[in-house]
Amino acid sequence: MIPFSPPFVDEDVIKEVTDSLNSGWITTGPKVKALEEEVAAYTGVSNALCVNSMTSGLMLMLRWFGVEAGDEVIVPAYTYSATALAVMNIGGTPVMVDIEDDFSISVDKIREAINERTKVIVPVDIAGWPCDYDAINALVRDPEIVSLFSPSNEAQRKLGRIVVISDSAHSIGACYKGKKTGLLTDVTIFSFHAVKNVTTAEGGGICLNLPKPFDNQEVYDFLRVYSLNGQTKDAFTKTKAGGWRYDIIYQGLKINMPDICAAIGLVQLKKYNDDLLKERKRVFEHYNDIFSVYDWAILPPYENEERRSSCHIYPLRIKEITEEQRDEIIDHITEEGVSVNVHFVPMPMLTLFKNEGFDINDYPNTFKQYKGEISLPIYPQLTDREVSIVGDAVIKSYQKVVC
Ligand SMILES: *Cc1c(COP(=O)(O)O)cnc(C)c1O
């Protein structure tokens, strides 16, 4: 069986984790600090904060912006549910909008959805393909849109407009007009979950890129305390001589990342650009070569003059098939010994969101992309031979079901 997305663990990763174990310090400490510095250096932001997941990182940033009951947060209907669950879990209301053919959130649909209650937009870089950030950033600065914004706390007054927090769970290392994710929006949040391009087993990385008059270092200092129960000293600092006394200054969250996890990501990120990401590109291009000769295959967005994917997922789409045919093709591919997936079942098709009143009929392009989508295995360890096996399995399975 060819697995779908095993984590990248080599001797260097094991050595770094062992180093944490042997050091006598396994939770938030020097390795988290080092990973944060590595994330900041890689993306080009001044400050990055690591937490225990992307989901909790999004909750943290929504809290920071003071999102509360009655506030609306615009998200795409086509994403992993965490994007909307984070909003609901802090008491806000997710507003779903449809996507474009390249999986990106539709900027026209965002404009239609904005009203006086809108506080945040969370675009999602599906599969590692960046959204149209120039258009989104221009939209939130459009005087007509700004005039609708009604700030209700200090952070909102200071920004004076809707904040853009990108769900970049898939897109570390992706580029848009020469800039990496991290620098493209006010706030960018990566996921370091086990299946993502860079992993800490579980984890998230928040890149702060807030415009003046915000001081990103000051925001970082606030978030660091807030993410540790609002406690003025973390456990590591308290171990230092005379460091026992602390205070609780906010009703914070407990979402800090342990050093033992940071150790994995630290090694991976150092190897990411010149090694792991290159290998993902190799696999992506190999699939492109295989499928480009078939007119039933829609290749995923990869690169153009403006954007470059981080190749997190290879979302192959098959033209003009039904959802049932897609599922049948997947069954055949699985029988061939290849694990595939679907990214994603649109949120309006899931029970929780249906019960909240969302209806997939309101998101026709989301459904259209979903019904023919099959995500193929893509990771650095996947050999060219394995890629060929996957390709053959997909082609054979398609022909069985459709021809
Ligand atoms: C994985 C993922 C998340 C959640 O990341 P966690 O680190 O597991 O919380 C959010 N959004 C998308 C699009 C994802 O794929």
Side-chain angles (χ1 to χ4, degrees), residues 115-291:
N115 62 51
E116 317 74 49
R117 295 181 297 279
T118 310
K119 293 289 165 68
V120 187
I121 299 169
V122 185
V124 184
D125 300 332
I126 296 289
W129 183 247
C131 297
D132 190 355
Y133 286 116
D134 277 1
I136 293 169
N137 288 328
L139 180 66
V140 296
R141 289 166 177 80
D142 179 334
E144 202 183 312
I145 299 295
V146 171
S147 70
L148 289 173
F149 187 72
S150 54
S152 56
N153 60 47
E154 202 202 324
Q156 293 177 12
R157 267 187 291 278
K158 221 163 157 178
L159 190 64
R161 59 164 171 81
I162 295 168
V163 69
V164 182
I165 303 178
S166 64
D167 176 338
S168 290
H170 299 178
S171 64
I172 189 166
C175 292
Y176 179 90
K177 297 191 179 171
K179 280 187 196 167
K180 285 204 196 88
T181 47
L183 287 176
L184 302 174
T185 52
D186 300 315
V187 178
T188 300
I189 314 181
F190 301 129
S191 170
F192 299 139
H193 175 264
V195 301
K196 304 293 159 74
N197 281 24
V198 172
T199 183
T200 58
E202 296 283 357
I206 303 169
C207 297
L208 300 175
N209 186 42
L210 294 159
K212 283 191 176 24
F214 286 102
D215 176 343
N216 285 297
Q217 179 64 46
E218 211 172 86
V219 176
Y220 170 91
D221 292 340
F222 167 81
L223 296 172
R224 161 121 327 289
V225 170
Y226 201 95
S227 63
L228 246 157
N229 279 337
Q231 181 171 312
T232 50
K233 275 181 195 161
D234 62 32
F236 188 70
T237 314
K238 281 176 67 200
T239 59
K240 309 259 171 74
W244 66 270
R245 190 181 286 281
Y246 65 90
D247 194 8
I248 299 288
I249 51 176
Y250 315 115
Q251 187 192 324
L253 300 167
K254 181 62 166 65
I255 57 170
N256 54 303
M257 175 188 282
D259 262 24
I260 199 168
C261 293
I264 306 170
L266 192 54
V267 173
Q268 290 198 350
L269 193 50
K270 282 181 180 156
K271 295 181 184 220
Y272 184 57
N273 218 51
D274 297 331
D275 184 354
L276 305 182
L277 186 54
K278 268 209 183 107
E279 294 301 315
R280 284 181 174 275
K281 287 181 177 171
R282 168 184 58 80
V283 174
F284 203 105
E285 287 177 8
H286 194 163
Y287 281 137
N288 280 352
D289 288 344
I290 291 171
F291 294 111

Side-chain angles (χ1 to χ4, degrees), residues 23-43:
S23 75
W25 193 262
I26 57 175
T27 189
T28 315
K31 295 221 190 286
V32 169
K33 193 80 213 148
L35 179 61
E36 290 180 345
E37 280 163 12
E38 204 67 38
V39 170
Y42 181 67
T43 57

